Amino acid sequence: MSPQSDPGAPSRPADHIDSAEQDPGETPITQPKLGLAGWLRFAWRQLTSMRTALLLLLLLAIAAVPGSLVPQRSSDPNGVTQYFNDNAGLAPILDGFQMFDVYTSAWFSAIYLLLFVSLIGCIIPRTKHHFEALRARPPRTPARLSRLAGYTERALPEGDTAAAAIDSAAKQLRQAGYRVERYELRGVPSVSAERGYLRETGNLVFHSALVGVLVAVGFGGGFGFSGQRVIVEGQTFVNTLAAFDSFNPGRFFTDTWLTPYRLSLENLDAVYETRNQEAIGQPLDFTAHVTVQGQGEDAEERTVKVNEPLYTHGTDVYLLGNGYAPTITVKNAEGEVVFTDAVPFLPQDANLTSIGVVKVPDGMPEQLGMVGFFYPTQTELTSGAYTSSYPDLILPVLTLNVYEGDLGIDEGTPTSVYTLDTSTLTQLSGGDTGVDSIELKPGETVELPNGLGTVTFEDVTPGAAPAADSASDADADSDGNTDADAADRNYAQSVSRFASFDIHHDPTQMWVLAFAALILGGLLVSLFVPRRRLWVKAVTKPGGSVVLEYAALARGDDPGLADAVTAFADKHAGPAAADGTAGAIEKSST
């Protein structure tokens, strides 16, 4: 609709055309065509806008959330395996979306790279503009200072000239950190001052350091590594590729860069809540006491806690988890030892009810597999099933279901030591076999089904007596105590514990720390340093008197601007007079 057809419409140019509705016979509007270059320029401007950078930063934070909801192959490969076992239907779907490799996934990398490009595209032109602004002169003094915020007037100090007062103001402003430029227009002297460019500098430092963090994290991911190892008390780990349970190197990392050293787990201390009845059994502290020794170095005793990693030989050693590792010995029918080892059992609940697998590939008529459940403090439920009621060793019990057949390890296909494929095995005890599961306490020995041999739950307490056979379980020991009495003994050291360590190497840790400090510093500067321009002008009134005008302008919100102008005016020309005379007037504009 043209403006002539609507008399009440605001005034518009005579050639204004409303594109939504045109009068018949009017020349149609032809929009310019952007073309390929135009669209590319438009897309680049949208990508490099600060709004897009903030949106991408928010998306990156949201995209990182799934990495904390499901286990990641890079940090917890055993947890991924367990997740697949517990969620056989959901896990493959999540794996299709790379949910177990979030931080190396295609969609996370796309957001990461777009954010990187967007930040660089924002920083370069802003840096150029900021550098030019730093070299430019402060702007000329406005003709009407009374229109600006914080405007106030002061009488010219007695004995001063207008030029001398302006020179004095310029000196004081320069001492206060302002960039100063003196102007004189039509015989009216004034000084223009500005400060706060450090605010934009801090903003640029913040965004540049953010790019630095992205570069450092990417560089560290390419040249670093992360590996996991489960170590049982008394065992030793050597920092070589073959010693890791799982190893995730960066794209450019080679195993020749590994610094050889030994890490021995001496013992693991666990402290649980015992006083608060509402939180009995809650873990309070885990401490892994380790011994570290490099090539040509003396052994050094160190500790690793959950939130206190150990830094040694260029790697950070994190304590991820812990549990029990019952020492199990299997003998065949001839009494020969065919298996003996401390087997890590994976905790299934907060009270450390744990499950583990024993695989005996040789020494038996057929390969033997056992699925075991370990209960640190064995309790029987109303259903008859066992569970653990406390995570510490009060009444430890180990139960085993025995399987016989092909373990599937002869073909050379990698299999998890924490799982047992029972599809090709024959169950000999437990379940529907009619044979009770094997039940053991530390130090006890029980015969295997079908006369295959015996299995012993070793008591690793220092100085413990040798394990007794099941046939003599009812006999009294050398002190005259029966096994029923022995069940009440202290089991605090009868079962070994294991610790799960994450060994991480990142060559850019110090760079990330430095950039993070710059991010914090730049952010604080950009938030708390005000950007201000302040002017002082000597004006001759119609009556011939000379007054000094003060006013300022802020870039953005600056609640203290008016007070800053008043404070400078008081310092320069003295406080405003109380009588309200024309020579000493103070007012502020909106």
Side-chain angles (χ1 to χ4, degrees):
M1 180 181 295
S2 64
Q4 291 81 3
S5 61
D6 187 3
S11 178
R12 294 177 176 176
D15 60 348
H16 171 78
I17 298 176
D18 194 334
S19 59
E21 183 178 349
Q22 298 183 24
D23 293 335
E26 289 183 348
T27 303
I29 298 175
T30 303
Q31 297 287 351
K33 294 183 179 180
L34 291 178
L36 178 61
W39 279 110
L40 290 176
R41 189 180 299 110
F42 174 78
W44 174 253
R45 288 178 178 174
Q46 295 300 314
L47 177 62
T48 56
S49 67
M50 189 55 63
R51 181 182 303 173
T52 302
L54 293 175
L55 177 61
L56 289 172
L57 188 61
L58 177 62
L59 285 177
L60 190 70
I62 295 174
V65 171
S68 62
L69 299 179
V70 295
Q72 300 295 296
R73 288 191 174 93
S74 60
S75 59
D76 189 11
N78 294 328
V80 175
T81 301
Q82 188 64 38
Y83 194 93
F84 269 81
N85 293 335
D86 298 339
N87 305 273
L90 179 60
I93 298 176
L94 295 179
D95 199 22
F97 289 97
Q98 299 178 294
M99 288 297 178
F100 301 106
D101 304 280
V102 167
Y103 307 111
T104 57
S105 63
W107 47 273
F108 189 87
S109 300
I111 300 175
Y112 185 92
L113 293 175
L114 284 174
L115 176 61
F116 184 79
V117 173
S118 178
L119 287 173
I120 292 179
C122 291
I123 291 170
I124 292 177
R126 288 182 61 179
T127 301
K128 180 176 179 294
H129 176 75
H130 183 54
F131 181 71
E132 292 174 350
L134 289 175
R135 299 177 60 190
R137 299 171 61 191
R140 289 182 178 273
T141 305
R144 296 179 178 85
L145 293 182
S146 59
R147 296 182 175 181
L148 302 181
Y151 174 76
T152 185
E153 291 181 2
R154 294 291 189 273
L156 182 68
E158 185 176 353
D160 271 3
T161 63
I166 294 302
D167 290 340
S168 173
K171 181 179 179 181
Q172 292 185 23
L173 287 169
R174 190 176 289 109
Q175 291 174 348
Y178 284 85
R179 297 170 57 221
V180 175
E181 188 72 24
R182 198 178 185 285
Y183 293 100
E184 187 163 349
L185 181 63
R186 298 175 183 176
V188 178
S190 65
V191 61
S192 176
E194 62 181 357
R195 63 177 296 183
Y197 277 93
L198 190 61
R199 181 188 186 97
E200 178 65 10
T201 302
N203 203 313
L204 290 173
V205 168
F206 169 79
H207 290 92
S208 300
L210 188 58
V211 173
V213 168
L214 295 177
V215 173
V217 170
F219 188 89
F223 290 89
F225 74 86
S226 177
Q228 293 74 39
R229 174 61 190 265
V230 172
I231 307 178
V232 180
E233 290 175 331
Q235 293 184 354
T236 298
F237 160 77
V238 180
N239 190 35
T240 59
L241 182 61
F244 285 91
D245 293 330
S246 62
F247 189 77
N248 302 281
R251 185 179 298 273
F252 310 108
F253 183 84
T254 61
D255 58 348
T256 58
W257 297 349
L258 290 172
T259 302
Y261 66 87
R262 299 175 58 186
L263 178 72
S264 302
L265 177 61
E266 303 301 329
N267 64 286
L268 179 73
D269 292 337
V271 179
Y272 300 101
E273 178 61 57
T274 57
R275 297 182 179 180
N276 185 357
Q277 296 298 319
E278 301 296 328
I280 291 293
Q282 293 295 320
L284 300 179
D285 185 51
F286 295 111
T287 303
H289 298 272
V290 300
T291 302
V292 181
Q293 184 177 16
Q295 284 186 326
E297 301 176 357
D298 294 332
E300 182 181 4
E301 295 182 356
R302 304 289 293 275
T303 60
V304 189
K305 291 177 174 288
V306 174
N307 294 318
E308 298 178 16
L310 164 67
Y311 181 79
T312 180
H313 297 84
T315 61
D316 291 296
V317 182
Y318 296 88
L319 178 61
L320 295 183
N322 66 89
Y324 292 100
T327 301
I328 300 173
T329 299
V330 178
K331 296 181 180 180
N332 60 17
E334 288 75 27
E336 299 173 347
V337 176
V338 294
F339 176 90
T340 182
D341 198 5
V343 182
F345 275 53
L346 299 180
Q348 304 298 302
D349 57 31
N351 289 321
L352 297 189
T353 300
S354 308
I355 186 172
V357 170
V358 178
K359 298 181 181 180
V360 184
D362 302 307
M364 290 288 191
E366 291 191 65
Q367 292 179 340
L368 203 67
M370 290 182 280
V371 177
F373 286 88
F374 178 70
Y375 312 96
T377 302
Q378 181 259 344
T379 302
E380 186 172 348
L381 301 175
T382 55
S383 62
Y386 287 168
T387 188
S388 177
S389 59
Y390 189 72
D392 212 351
L393 296 173
I394 304 299
L395 184 61
V397 172
L398 173 67
T399 62
L400 297 169
N401 290 337
V402 184
Y403 296 82
E404 187 180 51
D406 183 10
L407 297 178
I409 60 178
D410 295 335
E411 293 80 5
T413 303
T415 59
S416 173
V417 296
Y418 301 105
T419 60
L420 180 67
D421 183 7
T422 59
S423 60
T424 59
L425 302 175
T426 302
Q427 188 169 357
L428 302 181
S429 67
D432 299 329
T433 61
V435 179
D436 291 339
S437 298
I438 295 175
E439 185 174 322
L440 296 163
K441 294 179 181 178
E444 293 183 346
T445 298
V446 173
E447 292 186 358
L448 292 169
N450 300 340
L452 294 176
T454 60
V455 58
T456 302
F457 181 8
E458 303 286 359
D459 186 346
V460 297
T461 305
D469 291 337
S470 58
S472 60
D473 284 346
D475 296 338
D477 59 23
S478 58
D479 295 329
N481 298 322
T482 64
D483 285 336
D485 297 326
D488 295 328
R489 64 190 174 91
N490 182 13
Y491 286 105
Q493 298 178 352
S494 61
V495 182
S496 298
R497 298 190 74 121
F498 74 84
S500 176
F501 292 102
D502 180 81
I503 296 93
H504 184 75
H505 170 66
D506 184 356
T508 61
Q509 278 186 330
M510 295 306 299
W511 286 103
V512 172
L513 177 62
F515 285 128
L518 287 175
I519 286 176
L520 181 60
L523 182 61
L524 292 176
V525 168
S526 65
L527 289 177
F528 296 108
V529 173
R531 177 82 176 272
R532 292 171 176 170
R533 287 174 177 170
L534 194 149
W535 294 277
V536 182
K537 183 164 58 172
V539 179
T540 302
K541 295 294 184 178
S545 62
V546 179
V547 296
L548 298 176
E549 296 182 345
Y550 303 83
L553 185 66
R555 184 171 184 176
D557 188 23
D558 189 353
L561 183 63
D563 292 338
V565 175
T566 302
F568 179 77
D570 292 343
K571 178 181 178 182
H572 178 241
D579 57 2
T581 60
I585 302 173
E586 183 175 351
K587 56 184 177 180
S588 62
S589 62
T590 58

